[in-house]
Amino acid sequence: MDWVKIVYSFILLVCGILIFVSSSSRKGDERKKFISTKAQSYSFMIVIGVLILDVVESIYRTFQGKSSYDGNGISPLMFLTTISVVYFITFLMYRKKYGD
């Protein structure tokens, strides 16, 4: 594995942990929990949507006579990066909308 991918993965992991910990760092405020829950549920919907699209694409390729997997699947690193960015943006939007 290339050292750039290792460093990028480590930075992504640290940023993801910081995002999730910072969103739930203070206890006792229902509004903050509500904001975090809304952002998590929206991100989960995006994850499910992307995975459904990947399955539909695989089924379509199979019916077209092409192989269902030709090495162009979802890259796990890019998938995690996209989901982290979606969560961060929706968290900031809900924080601005519902106040924090």
Side-chain angles (χ1 to χ4, degrees):
M1 184 180 244
D2 193 18
W3 67 273
V4 175
K5 290 181 182 178
I6 294 172
V7 171
Y8 181 72
S9 298
F10 180 74
I11 291 171
L12 181 65
L13 178 67
V14 169
C15 290
I17 290 172
L18 288 176
I19 288 171
F20 291 122
V21 168
S22 69
S23 67
S24 63
S25 62
R26 292 182 235 152
K27 305 280 184 194
D29 191 3
E30 291 82 19
R31 185 179 49 192
K32 291 179 186 173
K33 288 181 184 177
F34 174 74
I35 292 169
S36 178
T37 304
K38 292 272 286 185
Q40 290 170 2
S41 65
Y42 186 79
S43 296
F44 183 71
M45 287 188 320
I46 297 295
V47 167
I48 297 300
V50 168
L51 291 175
I52 287 173
L53 286 175
D54 188 51
V55 168
V56 168
E57 178 187 7
S58 175
I59 292 171
Y60 175 76
R61 286 179 182 235
T62 302
F63 282 124
Q64 291 296 319
K66 301 175 184 173
S67 66
S68 63
Y69 181 74
D70 57 358
N72 293 331
I74 297 175
S75 168
L77 192 59
M78 291 306 296
F79 186 67
L80 289 174
T81 304
T82 304
I83 297 308
S84 297
V85 168
V86 166
Y87 175 78
F88 182 68
I89 290 171
T90 56
F91 181 75
L92 291 178
M93 284 176 24
Y94 285 126
R95 205 163 114 186
K96 183 177 179 182
K97 182 177 180 179
Y98 295 112
D100 190 319

